[in-house]
Amino acid sequence: MNSMTLPLLAARQPLAIVVLVVAIIAGLTIADWLFPLGLLAYALMVFFGMRDPVLIDAARRPPPAPRPRLTSPTFRAQIEAIERTHQEITRSAAQSGGPLARLLLPIAEQGRELVEEAYILADKGQIIERYLASVDRRKLEQEVAAIDRQMQSTQDPYTRSQLEETRQARLEKIQNVRDLDTYIGRISAQLQNISASLDNVLAETVRLRTADAASADSTTSQVARRLADLKSDMDAFQAVLDTALARSGAM
C-alpha cells in the first residue's frame, strides 16, 4: 500500500474538506484564532479517518480498470441496479464497525469484483445487440433460397461447388445469429443472477449486524464461497461467450 494513499483519502473526505473550508473562512472573516482551531479539528478528522476500515480497504485496492461505456438501455438499467445494491452492501459493512466490519469488508470487495465482471458482460451484451440489429435475417434466408434455385439450374460442377460453399457460409451465419440470440438471453439472465445474489448478500450483512461474532464468522465464510462460485461461473461463461463472438465476427 502506498504510504501517501491512505492519508490523501482521509484528507479528501467530503466532511473533512467542509471543516477545512469553514476553518479558513472563519479565520478570515470572524476571528484569527478560529483558523488554528478549525485546522486542529481537520487534522483530527484526517487522523481518525486513517483508521476507518473502509478507507484502509480502499487504499489497499488497486486502481480499477476503466469501465466500458454502456449505451444499451436494457443493460445499463441492469448494471445500475447491481451497482446500487453493491453500494448498499459497502455502506452496511462500513457502518458495522469493529470486528464485524473486518469480516464484511472482504465480502464488499468480492461484490465489487462482481460489479466489474458485470460491466464486461453487459458490454459484450450490447456488442451482440448492435450486431444483431445490423443483420437482415430475412435477406440471409432469401439468399439461401436464391442459391438453391441456382444450384438446381446449373450443370457446371465448378459453379455448383462455388454455390455450395456460398450456401454453407450463409447457413453458418444464420446459425451464428441464432446462437447470439441465445447468448444475449443468457447474458441478461446472468446479470439478473448477479443482482439477486447481491440482494441476498445485502440482506445477510444487515442481519449479521445483530449476530454474535461466531455465527457472523461462519455466515460470512459461506457468503464468500457463494460469491466465489458465482465469479467462477461468470469466468467460464465469458470464455464461452468470447468464442461465440469471435466465430460470429461480432467483435
Side-chain angles (χ1 to χ4, degrees):
M1 177 176 63
N2 188 326
S3 60
M4 289 298 294
T5 302
L6 183 55
L8 284 174
L9 285 173
R12 292 174 181 174
Q13 289 299 291
L15 186 56
I17 294 294
V18 169
V19 170
L20 179 60
V21 170
V22 170
I24 294 171
I25 294 173
L28 292 173
T29 60
I30 301 176
D32 291 345
W33 60 270
L34 289 174
F35 175 67
L37 185 64
L39 202 59
L40 177 61
Y42 173 71
L44 287 172
M45 292 190 71
V46 172
F47 174 76
F48 287 111
M50 290 172 60
R51 304 175 71 178
D52 185 340
V54 176
L55 289 184
I56 293 172
D57 180 65
R60 288 173 176 162
R61 189 184 308 152
R67 287 174 169 173
R69 180 171 175 267
L70 299 178
T71 57
S72 164
T74 301
F75 291 112
R76 188 170 63 242
Q78 288 183 292
I79 289 296
E80 286 172 353
I82 289 171
E83 277 197 302
R84 281 194 300 269
T85 305
H86 177 251
Q87 288 167 2
E88 290 296 323
I89 292 170
T90 304
R91 188 175 297 112
S92 179
Q95 290 172 349
S96 303
L100 185 56
R102 287 192 290 273
L103 288 173
L104 292 179
L105 283 172
I107 299 295
E109 173 62 18
Q110 281 184 288
R112 185 190 67 82
E113 292 175 358
L114 283 177
V115 172
E116 299 300 328
E117 293 271 354
Y119 260 94
I120 296 171
L121 200 58
D123 184 44
K124 291 175 181 176
Q126 71 178 7
I127 289 171
I128 294 175
E129 260 190 353
R130 286 195 296 266
Y131 175 75
L132 292 178
S134 71
V135 175
D136 188 337
R137 306 183 197 202
R138 183 177 178 81
K139 183 179 178 182
L140 285 173
E141 292 170 354
Q142 289 173 343
E143 287 177 355
V144 171
I147 291 170
D148 286 341
R149 290 192 295 271
Q150 285 181 274
M151 290 176 63
Q152 290 174 359
S153 63
T154 185
Q155 301 298 320
D156 178 46
Y158 178 80
T159 302
R160 177 178 288 275
S161 172
Q162 295 301 305
L163 288 171
E164 285 177 349
E165 290 183 11
T166 304
R167 183 179 187 275
Q168 184 60 34
R170 290 293 179 267
L171 289 176
E172 287 177 2
K173 185 168 185 177
I174 290 171
Q175 185 58 51
N176 286 336
V177 168
R178 290 171 180 164
D179 290 343
L180 291 177
D181 269 330
T182 300
Y183 280 118
I184 205 167
R186 291 180 182 178
I187 289 172
S188 182
Q190 182 75 277
L191 292 174
Q192 290 176 40
N193 187 19
I194 295 169
S195 184
S197 296
L198 290 180
D199 278 336
N200 289 339
V201 171
L202 176 58
E204 290 281 9
T205 60
V206 174
R207 184 181 66 81
L208 287 171
R209 290 170 66 180
T210 62
D212 59 83
S215 62
D217 190 15
S218 173
T219 303
T220 52
S221 296
Q222 293 173 12
V223 172
R225 283 196 297 272
R226 289 202 301 269
L227 292 180
D229 289 343
L230 178 56
K231 187 175 184 304
S232 296
D233 290 343
M234 286 185 66
D235 290 341
F237 175 58
Q238 291 214 44
V240 173
L241 188 59
D242 286 343
T243 301
L245 288 170
R247 188 173 61 244
S248 69
M251 294 188 72

